[in-house]
Amino acid sequence: MANQLSRRTVLGLAAGVPLSLALGSCGTSGPGASSGATYWFLNGQPQEGIRTGAVDRFNKADPSEKISPTTFQNDAYKTKIKTAIGAGQAPTIIWGWGGGTLRTYVKAGQVEDLTSWFDQNAKVKGRLFPTAFSAATVDGKIYALPCETVQPIIMYYNKRVFDSVGARPPQTWGEVMDLVPKLNAKGIAPFSLGGQSRWTNMMWLEFLFDRIGGPEVFQAVFDGQKDAWSNPAAIEALTKVQDLVRADGFIKGFSSITADSNADQALLYTGKAAMMLHGSWSYGIQQSQGGDFVSSGSLGFMNFPAVDGGKGDPSDTVGNPAQYLSISSKATDEQKKIAKDFFAKGVLDDEEIKQWIGTGGVPVVKGTQDLLAKDRNAEFLKFTYDIASNAKVFAQSWDQALSPTAAETLLDNISKLFQLSITPQQFATNLNAVIGQ
């Protein structure tokens, strides 16, 4: 798993950092191809090779159905795909992140409703994690196929640090707050945090909202309910995270630390911080950069602690339930048929599943436990699989679930919240103003 990449390359999420130095696209076919289907997706290895391999195997299996791929660097793709879709020149198959962006495509009638197709192809839907479909669903209808890997957010901890202070990892929020002064007294930061990157702070709120009020608190925001951010559970979550900041729960100077530099990871594996909330991709970074930290068994991992008296289910998780493939509503009937055949036969075939596992990922497919057990990182992969498959709710990262406009306002105000420059009530007011945008 040494080749596992960071959030910016694996996910291409809010940070929008390039997958490679190339700014242009590569490939031979765009949306105007005269025959066959077209497919745009991100470049950068090893993900690009896995995606291209799936297309190649599909094309060879039935030469009468051809898919022509075109790859783009992350930022270029986001601009190009938005422009192409808006102009009615989208590729047949649209790779994306689901959530808020997909919702905008749906509202504009730009992507195909796949609900009836999934009804007719129950086996395709049945082999995937059910929780992956929430970010593919708009107003009760399915508009995308979940694909690739699951990436939950995980609470990591340094076992060596806990042994040295004679403590155990916290199982509740109360235990978190009790640990903070004990760790600070030993000169150890309770939590590492790359706060300058903003989305790293967001993960704390995602979990606290869920643990305190259940998934319906953020769902109300996503659904556009007026003043949803002012829900008492939301205010309590915002207050608790500021309580943690005031108690020196995070590494000193966290607002100047970037996640892209992996400095937050180093604080954990060097023992300068006891714990860190981060994505499943963090495991590979610590394995490749942390010396014997992982191989010696010093890295611990767990789901986010429960909050005393909270309504949320402690099995719930947040992160990225999958990546997503949609079909352009402007495609020809022939192109749509090819795309749907690819969805049924080509996406997440046995070879692709093995290749994703080889990168340290857990495919969004049920029943891969035997394959995961054979990997050198079997314990962590099984943990990730169990988190994803057992979660009653796998909420999508907020910056992907919301529209780009609302997401930027969210990230800006989260940064201010952690810097204690705004109150929970001010945060709620600012975010209520962009609900539905």
Side-chain angles (χ1 to χ4, degrees):
M1 206 163 152
N3 62 347
Q4 175 99 355
L5 304 178
S6 72
R7 182 185 197 253
R8 61 188 184 276
T9 51
V10 174
L11 305 177
L13 293 178
V17 178
L19 286 167
S20 69
L21 294 177
L23 293 177
S25 66
C26 55
T28 58
S29 179
S34 59
S35 64
T38 52
Y39 177 17
W40 292 4
F41 52 82
L42 302 187
N43 61 21
Q45 300 298 343
Q47 294 81 9
E48 178 186 348
I50 297 175
R51 294 169 187 140
T52 302
V55 172
D56 289 344
R57 289 189 298 277
F58 177 80
N59 287 341
K60 290 176 182 177
D62 186 352
S64 70
E65 294 193 314
K66 180 176 173 59
I67 295 175
S68 300
T70 304
T71 66
F72 294 85
Q73 175 271 339
N74 188 326
D75 287 346
Y77 177 78
K78 289 181 176 180
T79 301
K80 182 77 172 179
I81 194 67
K82 182 178 179 180
T83 302
I85 290 175
Q89 294 291 316
T92 312
I93 302 172
I94 303 165
W95 187 99
W97 297 275
T101 300
L102 177 63
R103 191 181 185 92
T104 62
Y105 297 160
V106 170
K107 295 301 183 184
Q110 295 161 330
V111 291
E112 190 87 345
D113 181 352
L114 299 175
T115 308
S116 61
W117 182 83
F118 276 111
D119 290 341
Q120 297 161 11
N121 294 269
K123 287 185 178 180
V124 176
K125 185 178 181 181
R127 69 192 290 254
L128 305 175
F129 289 146
T131 51
F133 282 89
S134 60
T137 303
V138 178
D139 297 333
K141 295 182 178 181
I142 303 173
Y143 291 89
L145 172 74
C147 64
E148 301 187 5
T149 59
V150 297
Q151 292 156 333
I153 305 304
I154 292 165
M155 183 74 81
Y156 297 93
Y157 59 95
N158 188 320
K159 294 181 182 178
R160 295 170 180 168
V161 168
F162 276 88
D163 288 345
S164 70
V165 299
R168 66 166 194 166
Q171 301 303 305
T172 66
W173 186 256
E175 291 182 6
V176 168
M177 296 304 292
D178 288 344
L179 264 175
V180 167
K182 295 177 183 177
L183 290 165
N184 279 322
K186 298 286 187 179
I188 300 167
F191 290 99
S192 176
L193 180 64
Q196 187 174 327
S197 298
R198 304 188 302 175
W199 57 263
T200 45
N201 304 0
M202 178 183 67
M203 297 185 291
W204 283 88
L205 292 180
E206 289 169 339
F207 270 115
L208 283 170
F209 270 52
D210 179 89
R211 293 295 188 265
I212 293 169
E216 56 268 27
V217 179
F218 181 73
Q219 186 64 41
V221 173
F222 183 76
D223 291 341
Q225 293 183 21
K226 180 178 172 58
D227 295 333
W229 289 101
S230 295
N231 184 305
I235 299 299
E236 182 180 349
L238 297 167
T239 301
K240 283 187 183 301
V241 84
Q242 287 199 324
D243 289 344
L244 184 59
V245 172
R246 290 190 177 94
D248 293 327
F250 298 106
I251 185 77
K252 185 178 180 180
F254 68 84
S255 292
S256 301
I257 299 171
T258 65
D260 290 349
S261 67
N262 292 336
D264 51 351
Q265 315 275 343
L267 290 168
L268 182 70
Y269 62 68
T270 59
K272 294 179 181 177
M275 296 168 281
M276 178 181 68
L277 190 64
H278 222 295
S280 58
W281 57 89
S282 170
Y283 181 93
I285 298 171
Q286 294 174 72
Q287 186 175 62
S288 63
Q289 299 181 7
D292 70 345
F293 182 55
V294 173
S295 61
S296 66
S298 300
L299 174 64
F301 32 85
M302 55 185 276
N303 206 349
F304 194 89
V307 173
D308 300 311
K311 297 178 182 177
D313 192 300
S315 74
D316 289 351
T317 192
V318 303
N320 300 283
Q323 290 72 55
Y324 295 90
L325 300 178
S326 297
I327 298 175
S328 171
S329 61
K330 307 299 183 184
T332 66
D333 289 344
E334 176 197 5
Q335 290 172 329
K336 290 177 182 178
K337 180 183 181 302
I338 294 171
K340 290 173 181 176
D341 286 346
F342 178 60
F343 286 7
K345 304 172 187 176
V347 176
L348 288 170
D349 62 6
D350 291 346
E351 181 60 28
E352 184 181 350
I353 288 171
K354 291 177 183 177
Q355 289 177 357
W356 284 119
I357 293 173
T359 70
V362 173
V364 65
V365 178
K366 294 186 288 188
T368 58
Q369 296 97 319
D370 289 346
L371 289 173
L372 299 175
K374 297 175 183 176
D375 192 88
R376 67 189 179 110
N377 297 301
E379 181 186 4
F380 179 75
L381 293 177
K382 180 182 183 301
F383 169 80
T384 303
Y385 179 95
D386 289 345
I387 286 283
S389 60
N390 294 332
K392 290 183 174 59
V393 174
F394 192 145
Q396 188 180 30
S397 294
W398 289 355
D399 55 352
Q400 289 301 312
L402 297 175
S403 70
T405 299
E408 179 57 33
T409 301
L410 169 71
L411 292 169
D412 179 56
N413 278 273
I414 284 176
S415 179
K416 293 175 181 176
L417 184 82
F418 272 70
Q419 293 167 7
L420 306 179
S421 61
I422 59 174
T423 66
Q425 289 75 18
Q426 288 171 324
F427 178 98
T429 299
N430 294 343
L431 269 296
N432 283 335
V434 295
I435 284 179
Q437 293 187 13

